[in-house]
Amino acid sequence: MNREVALSRLKSEDFDLLVIGGGITGVGVAIDAQTRGLKVALVEKNDFASGTSSRSTKLIHGGLRYLKQFEFKLVNEVGRERAIVHKLAPHLVHPDKMLLPLIKDGNYGYLLTSMGLSVYDILAGVEGNDKRKMLDKNEASSMEPLLRTEDLEGAGFYAEYRTDDARLVMTLAKTAWREGAVLCNHIEAKEFHYNDNQKVCGVQLRDVKSGEEISLSAKQIVNATGPWVDLLRDKDHSKKGKQLFLSKGVHLVVRHERLPVKQTVYFDNTDGRMIFAIPRGRITYIGTTDTPYEGGKEEPGTTKADVDYILEAVNQMFPSVKLQAEDVESSWSGLRPLIHEEGKSVSEMSRKDEIFDSPSGLISIAGGKLTGYRKMAERVVDRVVQQGAFKTKASSTATQELEDAAFASYAEVQALVDRLFTEYPKLLPDFKSAEYLVHNYGSASESILQAAQKIELPAELALAAAEVDHCLQNEMTLDLLDFFERRTGRLYFDILSIPRIRQVVSMVFAKFYGWTAAEIETQEARLDEAIDRVKAW
Ligand code: FAD
């Protein structure tokens, strides 16, 4: 994806559809519409996935908790979508078994959990070995020796998937681009343009990097701005009826040695909320909170109360670990754009997506989940096609091959990790580094290793230089933080690697963009701020 090409097309062409917002919802809509034959542009005011779509629990899951709210249709849809997304991007969406410990007098008893997980499997179409198993107390504590035992009654063991939300957005963005859509980051939609019939027919855009204004015409416009949806509805004078309600969710990161869970554990806290502890490479991350939020949307931040809440829950479930605030090496917080429901608590509000139609023709989409992005996009584009009276093909995204995902099966992903680990011992000193590369870049991994082999630097730095070059050439990576936070996830999952490689990464950026010394300083300062932010509360 090339930003200069994108800018020049945004300035000179008209489009069938403009999508505002480069999170999972927006890029999902862009692919669906472009592959049906519409001419699509997408603008994102910050970096792709910089909103909620890089701040989730990073699971592609059927939403077991929604069973409690009797949302059978939702569980059925997202449950089946899990399998489709796994098939489309097997390097990014990994099968992950979950352990659900059952505690005496907890939220659910043995029988209810057993029945609930069976219904969950049926609704989601789970088959074979992946079907739920019920474990007795001894089996549960040998599966996870860290669990408290005094009131442990057993556990449920069932299948979900783990992903990297920001990488999934990037893969979808690149696929939409490959199919002919124009996508551009750091472009803000400022105002709507209307025709004589008061129908929305374009948008005033601002290039956040240069300050330049662009007037863009589009026959249809979709507002996919997540937590910002109501701001744009307001600009369109259509914020009437249902409105958004924002709920903040925080995750904390500790070294895996400090919370060495053997697999993901999903447990109930004393207040009835559910908490995940998810092992991932050299760390384990834990969360999440679910609290009403009304502050600034860009960086909701982590507070001491958030940290205390999560650590207390973890220490109760795994009493021997005794986690302290000092163990937390990184954190992130995101905003769930929920649809407000009178009289319901945050946890009870539905996570279903909803489309808002404005009299001007603006189509806004909010709510939903990462997991259900494809179906959500299909519904939005159906609406666009109907409203715009376009003649198009049917949606084909269920079988559309994604960029960097040329794998026929998950076994092929694992085989690639094994082969690269064997063939590139200097660049990939341990198995986890091979996994990291393949899980991030899929079928593009080997070209990064080949480029690294030609760079005369110590192995770790050569690989970092090749990796950043790949992101600069292919992934519209503008700032150091885009690379460290969203292209690689290092800010969260490997923050200790940043001091080791940042000088080389910064040099590659500076050379690629011709940065001055002052620009390098500004970029470095923003990275430092982010490193401080993820540990400040
Ligand atoms: P966003 O990702 O927020 O995208 C909206 C984009 O619009 C932003 O990037 C923003 O910069 C841009 N934008 C705003 N205004 C403008 C403008 N004027 N011009 C241009 N661009 C603009 N779902 C799951 O399936 N699995 C999970 O494990 C999971 N865990 C979650 C945990 C937490 C704590 C949270 C908060 C959510 C979780 N979700 C999960 C839900 C999921 O993350 C969200 O539903 C999804 O990411 C929302 O994506 P979006 O594209 O609608 O919004």
Side-chain angles (χ1 to χ4, degrees):
M1 296 198 298
N2 181 308
R3 193 163 184 271
E4 291 308 312
V5 173
L7 278 175
S8 116
R9 287 192 61 191
L10 288 180
K11 285 178 202 164
S12 59
E13 297 178 25
D14 294 342
F15 293 87
D16 292 328
L17 172 65
L18 171 68
V19 182
I20 307 172
I24 192 87
T25 310
V27 294
V29 169
I31 293 195
D32 191 298
Q34 183 71 33
T35 51
R36 286 199 210 187
L38 298 185
K39 186 175 173 192
V40 178
L42 178 149
V43 292
E44 160 56 51
K45 77 177 164 73
N46 194 331
D47 186 23
F48 299 113
S50 58
T52 304
S53 298
S54 57
R55 297 150 186 264
S56 76
T57 308
K58 304 174 197 296
L59 293 173
I60 295 295
H61 63 141
L64 181 60
R65 61 191 292 272
Y66 311 133
L67 263 189
K68 198 173 143 198
Q69 297 160 335
F70 303 107
E71 303 229 32
F72 296 117
K73 210 166 153 252
L74 181 65
V75 177
N76 179 257
E77 180 177 303
V78 284
R80 284 170 196 278
E81 280 299 305
R82 292 183 309 185
I84 296 178
V85 186
H86 168 61
K87 213 166 166 195
L88 290 176
H91 66 295
L92 261 176
V93 180
H94 309 275
D96 192 16
K97 286 282 174 73
M98 308 258 157
L99 193 74
L100 184 75
L102 299 169
I103 299 293
K104 187 164 182 282
D105 300 328
N107 276 345
Y108 318 97
Y110 192 93
L111 203 67
L112 205 63
T113 303
S114 174
M115 276 164 39
L117 289 177
S118 287
V119 172
Y120 190 57
D121 279 352
I122 293 167
L123 288 175
V126 176
E127 286 172 356
N129 246 354
D130 278 346
K131 279 191 182 164
R132 74 101 177 88
K133 290 183 188 62
M134 293 305 292
L135 310 177
D136 65 21
K137 177 175 175 161
N138 288 338
E139 288 168 325
S141 71
S142 74
M143 285 282 280
E144 189 46 80
L146 292 177
L147 285 175
R148 75 169 189 249
T149 47
E150 68 269 21
D151 51 0
L152 183 67
E153 293 190 326
F157 192 55
Y158 69 105
E160 295 281 16
Y161 296 87
R162 189 170 40 82
T163 191
D164 183 314
D165 43 12
R167 290 296 319 168
L168 185 60
V169 170
M170 182 44 61
T171 298
L172 295 172
K174 282 162 61 174
T175 308
W177 178 279
R178 180 193 72 200
E179 297 300 317
V182 181
L183 296 92
C184 199
N185 54 8
H186 303 278
I187 298 282
E188 185 173 6
K190 301 289 286 179
E191 302 294 339
F192 294 107
H193 298 314
Y194 298 90
N195 64 17
D196 294 344
N197 301 325
Q198 294 311 306
K199 295 290 177 196
V200 69
C201 62
V203 172
Q204 194 66 20
L205 303 173
R206 183 172 163 273
D207 181 344
V208 178
K209 289 287 173 187
S210 67
E212 191 183 354
E213 299 250 334
I214 301 167
S215 175
L216 185 131
S217 296
K219 292 181 187 135
Q220 297 292 316
I221 297 174
V222 166
N223 167 15
T225 55
W228 292 264
V229 154
D230 274 355
L231 274 179
L232 269 83
R233 289 172 76 211
D234 211 18
K235 280 184 197 277
D236 177 57
H237 310 292
S238 57
K239 200 176 101 184
K240 302 192 175 90
K242 286 190 182 174
Q243 301 200 358
L244 283 198
F245 182 93
L246 301 183
S247 147
K248 187 177 84 163
V250 168
H251 291 85
L252 307 179
V253 177
V254 298
R255 269 184 304 126
H256 185 248
E257 297 93 286
R258 286 298 290 118
L259 183 56
V261 281
K262 296 209 278 184
Q263 67 275 299
T264 297
V265 184
Y266 185 35
F267 59 95
D268 37 338
N269 195 6
T270 39
D271 64 356
R273 278 200 43 73
M274 301 293 291
I275 304 274
F276 286 102
I278 305 178
R280 180 179 173 130
R282 53 169 294 280
I283 60 103
T284 301
Y285 64 96
I286 40 186
T288 170
T289 57
D290 197 359
T291 46
Y293 183 82
E294 287 182 347
K297 296 181 188 49
E298 310 293 333
E299 282 304 340
T302 301
T303 64
K304 185 170 177 307
D306 298 325
V307 175
D308 289 347
Y309 174 86
I310 296 172
L311 293 188
E312 194 184 328
V314 171
N315 287 333
Q316 275 186 10
M317 185 50 64
F318 310 105
S320 62
V321 300
K322 299 189 174 45
L323 281 184
Q324 312 260 330
E326 298 74 60
D327 290 311
V328 179
E329 61 176 41
S330 188
S331 71
W332 67 88
S333 62
L335 297 176
R336 300 177 186 84
L338 307 178
I339 315 293
H340 184 255
E341 290 176 89
E342 210 56 61
K344 286 203 174 170
S345 75
V346 187
S347 302
E348 286 167 344
M349 276 182 211
S350 168
R351 267 60 176 167
K352 266 191 283 204
D353 56 282
E354 193 145 332
I355 298 175
F356 302 117
D357 291 305
S358 153
S360 71
L362 177 70
I363 298 171
S364 299
I365 166 87
K369 292 166 59 59
L370 209 60
T371 314
Y373 81 87
R374 205 193 58 80
K375 269 281 161 200
M376 214 158 97
E378 200 177 306
R379 280 194 284 273
V380 172
V381 179
D382 283 346
R383 191 73 63 99
V384 168
V385 168
Q386 186 196 25
Q387 189 168 279
F390 295 113
K391 297 229 174 322
T392 62
K393 296 181 260 183
S395 173
S396 58
T397 54
T399 51
Q400 178 78 45
E401 185 177 308
L402 300 183
E403 270 297 285
D404 304 336
F407 301 101
S409 66
Y410 192 59
E412 283 192 9
V413 176
Q414 289 165 309
L416 182 62
V417 176
D418 289 341
R419 183 172 68 75
L420 297 185
F421 178 55
T422 316
E423 289 181 11
Y424 297 85
K426 274 207 191 116
L427 290 166
L428 302 172
D430 51 48
F431 195 70
K432 281 197 168 57
S433 49
E435 277 185 333
Y436 159 79
L437 203 68
V438 172
H439 294 178
N440 257 26
Y441 303 105
S443 35
S445 311
E446 190 157 15
S447 63
I448 297 175
L449 289 164
Q450 285 164 346
Q453 276 181 323
K454 296 185 192 133
I455 299 173
E456 288 179 11
L457 281 173
E460 187 183 31
L461 300 183
L463 187 54
E467 192 183 348
V468 72
D469 189 56
H470 174 84
C471 295
L472 289 166
Q473 303 280 357
N474 300 291
E475 301 191 341
M476 218 180 270
T477 310
L478 267 68
D479 296 321
L480 283 185
L481 201 53
D482 297 348
F483 178 75
F484 283 111
E485 187 170 5
R486 287 168 291 276
R487 302 299 178 275
T488 68
R490 278 190 158 90
L491 186 65
Y492 306 128
F493 306 122
D494 200 6
I495 196 165
L496 302 182
S497 72
I498 299 179
R500 297 200 302 270
I501 63 168
R502 61 183 289 171
Q503 200 185 354
V504 162
V505 170
S506 186
M507 275 166 53
V508 180
F509 261 96
K511 191 165 168 226
F512 188 83
Y513 287 120
W515 282 346
T516 60
E519 281 169 314
I520 297 176
E521 209 173 296
T522 308
Q523 288 280 338
E524 293 273 353
R526 282 187 55 207
L527 177 59
D528 286 333
E529 262 168 43
I531 293 172
D532 289 344
R533 171 176 32 90
V534 297
K535 283 184 284 189
W537 43 80

